[in-house]
């Protein structure tokens, strides 16, 4: 029963928007790596050509190209998520690629897990952390103070910590970075103010209890965290990333999250 639920939850995480505003993501490379002189042979992958085509036609700022496990299909990593393309760059596929050789495996999820773990490392010094004294597990969660289930989850932090679960928060303003008029959204400004506080842990807890947020400005990468979340499949909060890079969308009660962590 759990496996079916978990498989469905993972599949639901892959509907990514094609275009977004804001800062450039931090975990990608657009350095061309020429693997061949020509793409006349469909079995040959020309990284530079694909980068040029995708950048020009789709406006991707950062593109990384590599061969996928499926012959003739390239894996495209962008600031807007993962895609697949033929080696000539004439077709673009958005969706999940599965291997049916042996046990069915979601290859897209496996690739995304690597991107998540690599990206998280870039924010290790800019997370708000609630550490368990007897730490057994570490999860990273995208959060917003306007999210009811985020507040519910945070209200049970003592229970999570007592079970040995350390929570590391990344910011994800659900209203986006800017409003319809092009101004910074209230949600973004509140989260930025919290991350800029002298005591972010205390400020976040107070905000999730409904207290007003003292306005502050600093260079904390709140926008970059939001863009990273969009890149790796976050569509709402809370969204929990486990130590193996798997993402679980939505609230998980302490006991249930502990059971999931034990099975990894």
């Amino acid at each position: 029963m759990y496996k079916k639920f978990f498989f469905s939850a993972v599949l639901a995480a892959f509907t990514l928007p094609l275009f977004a505003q804001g800062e450039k993501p931090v975990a990608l490379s657009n350095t061309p790596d020429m693997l061949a002189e020509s793409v006349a042979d469909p079995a040959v992958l020309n990284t530079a050509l694909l980068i040029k085509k995708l950048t020009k036609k789709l406006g991707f700022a950062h593109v990384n190209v590599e061969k996928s496990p499926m012959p003739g299909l390239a894996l495209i990593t962008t600031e807007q998520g993962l895609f697949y393309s033929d080696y000539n760059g004439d077709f673009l596929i958005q969706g999940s690629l599965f291997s049916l050789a042996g046990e069915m495996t979601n290859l897209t999820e496996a690739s995304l897990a690597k991107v998540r773990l690599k990206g998280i490392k870039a924010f290790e010094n800019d997370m708000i952390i609630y550490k368990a004294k007897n730490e057994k597990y570490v999860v990273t969660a995208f959060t917003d103070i306007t999210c009811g289930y985020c507040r519910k989850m945070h209200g049970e932090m003592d229970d999570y910590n007592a079970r040995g679960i350390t929570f590391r928060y990344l910011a994800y303003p659900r209203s986006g970075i800017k409003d319809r008029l092009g101004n910074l959204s209230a949600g973004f400004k509140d989260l930025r103010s919290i991350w800029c506080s002298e005591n972010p842990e205390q400020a976040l807890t107070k905000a999730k209890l409904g207290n007003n947020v003292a306005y502050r400005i600093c260079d904390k990468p709140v926008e970059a965290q939001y863009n990273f979340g969009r890149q790796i499949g976050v569509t709402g909060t809370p969204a929990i990333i486990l130590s193996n890079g798997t993402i679980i969308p939505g609230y998980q009660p302490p006991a249930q999250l502990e059971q999931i962590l034990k099975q990894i």
Side-chain angles (χ1 to χ4, degrees):
M1 181 66 181
Y2 165 74
K3 288 185 177 179
K4 291 183 178 179
F5 163 79
F6 190 75
F7 181 70
S8 299
V10 168
L11 281 178
F14 294 127
T15 304
L16 303 179
L18 265 179
F19 301 99
Q21 300 177 346
E23 290 183 11
K24 297 177 181 178
V26 296
L28 299 177
S29 170
N30 62 349
T31 302
D33 177 19
M34 185 70 73
L35 299 181
E37 293 296 328
S38 170
V39 291
D41 182 351
V44 175
L45 173 60
N46 187 320
T47 303
L49 176 62
L50 277 177
I51 289 175
K52 182 178 180 180
K53 279 192 172 184
L54 295 173
T55 301
K56 181 179 180 179
K57 291 188 176 183
L58 301 177
F60 292 144
H62 291 256
V63 178
N64 186 67
V65 176
E66 58 188 285
K67 290 184 178 180
S68 79
M70 181 175 175
L73 202 64
L75 172 63
I76 313 297
T77 307
T78 78
E79 71 271 23
Q80 301 305 325
L82 299 188
F83 301 88
Y84 297 94
S85 172
D86 66 298
Y87 286 177
N88 287 313
D90 294 327
F91 299 93
L92 188 71
I93 301 172
Q94 180 184 22
S96 297
L97 177 65
F98 293 87
S99 171
L100 300 180
E103 184 177 354
M104 186 170 69
T105 304
N106 189 329
L107 300 177
T108 302
E109 169 60 14
S111 297
L112 269 172
K114 295 178 182 178
V115 174
R116 292 174 190 133
L117 293 178
K118 183 178 179 180
I120 284 173
K121 289 184 178 180
F123 299 112
E124 285 183 340
N125 296 325
D126 295 295
M127 298 177 177
I128 298 180
I129 302 174
Y130 297 84
K131 186 175 177 61
K133 292 182 179 180
N134 183 29
E135 183 179 279
K136 300 177 183 177
Y137 315 103
V138 177
V139 299
T140 305
F142 286 87
T143 194
D144 184 27
I145 62 174
T146 66
C147 159
Y149 276 107
C150 295
R151 292 185 176 187
K152 178 177 176 61
M153 189 167 71
H154 192 75
E156 298 173 334
M157 189 57 66
D158 288 344
D159 195 352
Y160 290 110
N161 287 166
R163 296 172 185 272
I165 304 172
T166 289
F167 261 79
R168 308 188 304 182
Y169 280 127
L170 293 175
Y172 191 87
R174 297 188 302 160
S175 56
I177 303 301
K178 295 184 178 181
D179 60 24
R180 294 180 180 178
L181 299 177
N183 301 315
L184 293 175
S185 69
F188 167 77
K189 289 189 288 187
D190 280 344
L191 286 176
R192 182 180 63 181
S193 296
I194 291 169
W195 254 254
C196 292
S197 298
E198 291 86 354
N199 189 332
E201 293 80 10
Q202 185 181 77
L204 182 59
T205 296
K206 288 183 176 180
K208 288 192 175 184
L209 289 173
N211 294 321
N212 292 329
V213 178
Y215 185 71
R216 298 178 185 276
I217 298 177
C218 68
D219 61 355
K220 291 293 183 178
V222 172
E223 184 175 355
Q225 291 180 10
Y226 171 78
N227 289 332
F228 171 59
R230 288 168 61 88
Q231 177 202 5
I232 60 171
V234 176
T235 58
T237 55
I240 304 170
I241 300 176
L242 309 183
S243 60
N244 64 355
T246 299
I247 191 169
I248 303 179
Y251 163 75
Q252 300 294 321
Q256 183 171 316
L257 181 58
E258 182 183 22
Q259 289 303 312
I260 293 172
L261 294 169
K262 285 181 178 180
Q263 295 181 40
I264 295 178

